[in-house]
């Protein structure tokens, strides 16, 4: 079960695989597409607020000329 949350328990198998670049990753295998989609929807409802809070924190960190948000504004030509 991912994150130790029972909502994410599904009939699945996690196997290690080596990518083309030689990196080892874990790949989930589900019995059906429907179970995979259900897992994905439930997982991202749980994890997305955490990810966005982390991104918000990173974008607010000072860089050489302002914050990450300032750099994005400059790159987008909004400044």
């Amino acid at each position: 079960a991912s994150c130790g949350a029972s909502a994410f328990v599904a009939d699945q198998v996690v196997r290690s695989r080596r990518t083309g670049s030689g990196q080892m990753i874990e790949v989930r295998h589900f019995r059906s597409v429907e179970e995979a989609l259900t897992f994905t929807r439930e997982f991202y409802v749980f994890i997305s607020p955490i990810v966005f809070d982390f991104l918000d924190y990173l974008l607010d960190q000072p860089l050489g000329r302002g914050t990450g948000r300032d750099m994005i504004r400059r790159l987008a030509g909004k400044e």
Side-chain angles (χ1 to χ4, degrees):
S2 292
C3 303
S6 61
F8 304 125
V9 176
D11 286 336
Q12 59 182 295
V13 176
V14 179
R15 294 188 183 116
S16 295
R17 295 195 106 151
R18 188 172 302 277
T19 66
S21 65
Q23 181 182 5
M24 290 300 292
I25 62 171
E26 290 184 343
V27 178
R28 293 182 189 279
H29 298 270
F30 296 90
R31 287 188 305 173
S32 68
V33 171
E34 290 78 20
E35 285 187 11
L37 290 172
T38 298
F39 172 86
T40 303
R41 286 183 193 109
E42 291 178 1
F43 181 76
Y44 285 104
V45 163
F46 174 78
I47 200 73
S48 62
I50 297 166
V51 170
F52 284 105
D53 283 346
F54 179 66
L55 291 173
D56 192 44
Y57 168 79
L58 290 178
L59 290 173
D60 282 338
Q61 295 305 300
L63 298 172
R65 291 176 37 206
T67 65
R69 293 179 197 284
D70 297 328
M71 179 173 283
I72 291 172
R73 282 188 203 96
R74 280 194 302 280
L75 291 171
K78 302 286 183 186
E79 217 174 72

